[in-house]
Amino acid sequence: MSNLPENMNSQTARQLLKVGEAFRIPGPFFSYEEIKMGNVNHTYKVNYIRDDGSGMAKIKSYLVQRVNTYAFQRPLELMSNIDKVTEYIHANFPHVKCLHFHHTQERNNYLMDEDGFWRLSNYVPSVTFNSCGNLDIVRSAGQAFGDFQMMLSAFDARSLYYTIEDFHNTRERYAKLKKDMQADPCGRVNEVREELDWLLSVEDEACKLTDLYEAGELPLRVTHNDTKINNVLFDEETLKPLVVVDLDTVMPGLVGHDFGDAIRFAANFVEEDSPEAQKAGVNLNVYWAFAEGFLTETAAALTEVEVETLGNSCFTLACELSTRFLDDYIMGDKYFKTNMPQHNLVRTRCQIALAKDMLKKMNAMNAIVRDCWVRNREKQDGR
Ligand code: GN1
Ligand code: MG
């Protein structure tokens, strides 16, 4: 291996080589890079040398992921969900791009070995965005997630596993935080009293969405549940959306989960883990652009009660993520990847600052979604 880049001698390179062999990828394994995206799974772009038929060598890339089995404790069910959803989309919307997962000799779309749970898919050359001031791109992302949800509107939600129980059950997230705060296994609770006090003081407001669902007021849909804008891949040249990825959490959910999670991530003035929490807040222009795109696709299908929850769902998701980051901090940083000692606390503070700003802007947020709903519903009715 002496002519290969230095990192090809690493343990990761050896693991990836083994994964490629299991998925029967032809051609010499040439190089890899870790894609620093996502806070849970590990993702790598792996490059193979392929003869293009004319004797010329070219590079063929794939995407390999090591699924985090601390977060996803039943990864086989997760892969079965992904299979069902992508097959359904492929059968009913053949023009829509999907990730394609390769199979091993045993016909499995995963490999389970002593190093973990792996999967391998095609690599789609694309660009992604973490935050975005380009409102056309934000609108397109809204459309892509709205369209994704609508494509699955006739899909039988009961055939899907819950890949993580109570994933967006905000009451349960609060219950876990309160339990872990009592246990305080790392002695960190004293340091985070202020954050805990604030989060507990808004529990009822943050749990409105969950409570409305429990009261039977909201329909259960098949939702993506992890609608960070970087889960939409865009064409490098046209900047049009190509495909919605990260289907690990596609399962029954509420429309507010997808809308709220997208906004709390994309419409924040700063990145999710910015240490400058005082700068966090909702950019209403980004909010508006996303809402416009999302409702272009979904307006006709949504009930009035659902639309009324959308503004509040952003607050809900910001609080829900705050409880999750804070809980992980209290428990010793076991769930989310961290790259500094207080990473989860920094994330918590930033989400709390965002949630506080949302409370101030809630009237505007509600008015914007209502306006987008009314206009787009009329357009769709008139089609
Ligand atoms: C995780 O790994 P990633 O970035 O796709 C998490 C989401 C959080 C997000 C916060 C399965 O998503 O719920 O919103 O981090 N995914 C899971 O950045 O827990
Ligand atoms: Mg994800």
Side-chain angles (χ1 to χ4, degrees), residues 37-41 71-72 164 167-168 173 225-228 230-231 246 248-249 261 264-265 272 317 320-321 324-325 335-337 347:
M37 219 177 82
N39 286 330
V40 171
N41 295 329
F72 295 106
I164 298 181
F167 189 60
H168 282 309
R173 295 289 186 185
N225 294 309
D226 189 4
T227 46
K228 291 160 83 161
N230 59 22
N231 280 332
D246 192 2
D248 296 335
T249 50
D261 196 37
R264 67 126 206 117
F265 190 78
E272 182 181 77
L317 267 288
E320 189 181 290
L321 262 295
R324 293 178 62 194
F325 290 142
Y335 188 99
F336 294 105
K337 285 188 220 161
R347 289 171 173 143

Side-chain angles (χ1 to χ4, degrees), residues 56-187:
M56 296 288 280
K58 67 168 191 190
I59 299 286
K60 172 86 182 155
S61 303
Y62 300 86
L63 210 66
V64 172
Q65 280 190 307
R66 183 151 56 85
V67 175
N68 178 335
T69 49
Y70 181 83
F72 295 106
Q73 302 194 348
R74 296 185 302 274
L76 292 183
E77 297 182 359
L78 175 158
M79 290 310 289
S80 145
N81 274 8
I82 292 183
D83 246 2
K84 283 184 198 147
V85 166
T86 50
E87 270 168 28
Y88 179 90
I89 294 178
H90 186 65
N92 292 282
F93 307 91
H95 59 285
V96 170
K97 212 176 178 60
C98 268
L99 285 191
H100 165 71
F101 287 90
H102 287 238
H103 288 81
T104 62
Q105 193 159 16
E106 298 75 35
R107 306 290 314 139
N108 295 327
N109 58 3
Y110 60 85
L111 168 73
M112 215 178 332
D113 67 12
E114 62 285 5
D115 297 320
F117 188 97
W118 304 88
R119 61 188 176 200
L120 183 148
S121 69
N122 55 321
Y123 173 79
V124 181
S126 53
V127 278
T128 55
F129 302 91
N130 276 340
S131 60
C132 192
N134 180 332
L135 298 185
D136 286 335
I137 288 177
V138 175
R139 197 175 302 109
S140 299
Q143 261 181 290
F145 282 127
D147 182 43
F148 183 82
Q149 201 172 104
M150 289 300 107
M151 283 193 293
L152 295 172
S153 61
F155 182 90
D156 179 13
R158 284 164 312 172
S159 74
L160 291 177
Y161 294 106
Y162 280 85
T163 56
I164 298 181
E165 279 316 316
D166 291 321
F167 189 60
H168 282 309
N169 183 334
T170 318
R171 283 267 176 224
E172 281 302 317
R173 295 289 186 185
Y174 265 90
K176 178 161 170 18
L177 178 66
K178 287 189 240 178
K179 185 171 109 262
D180 293 341
M181 171 184 136
Q182 294 304 328
D184 192 14
C186 306

Side-chain angles (χ1 to χ4, degrees), residues 125-347:
S126 53
V127 278
T128 55
F129 302 91
N130 276 340
S131 60
C132 192
N134 180 332
L135 298 185
D136 286 335
I137 288 177
V138 175
R139 197 175 302 109
S140 299
Q143 261 181 290
F145 282 127
D147 182 43
F148 183 82
Q149 201 172 104
M150 289 300 107
M151 283 193 293
L152 295 172
S153 61
F155 182 90
D156 179 13
R158 284 164 312 172
S159 74
L160 291 177
Y161 294 106
Y162 280 85
T163 56
I164 298 181
E165 279 316 316
D166 291 321
F167 189 60
H168 282 309
N169 183 334
T170 318
R171 283 267 176 224
E172 281 302 317
R173 295 289 186 185
Y174 265 90
K176 178 161 170 18
L177 178 66
K178 287 189 240 178
K179 185 171 109 262
D180 293 341
M181 171 184 136
Q182 294 304 328
D184 192 14
C186 306
R188 291 179 170 178
V189 165
N190 258 342
E191 181 194 354
V192 299
R193 285 273 169 221
E194 199 182 321
E195 288 77 14
L196 277 169
D197 286 348
W198 187 81
L199 276 173
L200 296 178
S201 75
V202 296
E203 176 173 352
D204 283 342
E205 188 65 20
C207 294
K208 266 186 178 168
L209 190 66
T210 304
D211 293 350
L212 262 181
Y213 170 67
E214 298 287 341
E217 302 281 327
L218 295 170
L220 200 60
R221 299 178 178 276
V222 177
T223 45
H224 182 283
N225 294 309
D226 189 4
T227 46
K228 291 160 83 161
I229 193 173
N230 59 22
N231 280 332
V232 181
L233 308 188
F234 287 86
D235 185 284
E236 290 164 307
E237 279 168 21
T238 64
L239 297 182
K240 296 281 174 229
L242 290 173
V243 54
V244 170
V245 297
D246 192 2
L247 307 185
D248 296 335
T249 50
V250 175
M251 53 186 161
L254 306 177
V255 64
H257 296 148
D258 279 1
F259 184 79
D261 196 37
I263 293 297
R264 67 126 206 117
F265 190 78
N268 195 350
F269 286 116
V270 292
E271 300 243 338
E272 182 181 77
D273 60 353
S274 167
E276 296 185 293
Q278 74 283 3
K279 294 190 181 158
V282 210
N283 179 332
L284 286 178
N285 291 328
V286 173
Y287 177 89
W288 198 322
F290 187 90
E292 182 67 35
F294 191 78
L295 284 147
T296 303
E297 301 299 322
T298 56
L302 299 186
T303 67
E304 184 155 13
V305 182
E306 279 181 303
V307 176
E308 280 165 4
T309 64
L310 293 183
N312 176 269
S313 72
C314 306
F315 175 73
T316 294
L317 267 288
C319 292
E320 189 181 290
L321 262 295
S322 307
T323 64
R324 293 178 62 194
F325 290 142
L326 188 54
D327 182 60
D328 202 29
Y329 184 68
I330 290 173
M331 296 306 285
D333 306 311
K334 293 200 163 66
Y335 188 99
F336 294 105
K337 285 188 220 161
T338 53
N339 50 34
M340 54 176 159
Q342 293 195 321
H343 205 160
N344 274 316
L345 184 54
V346 168
R347 289 171 173 143

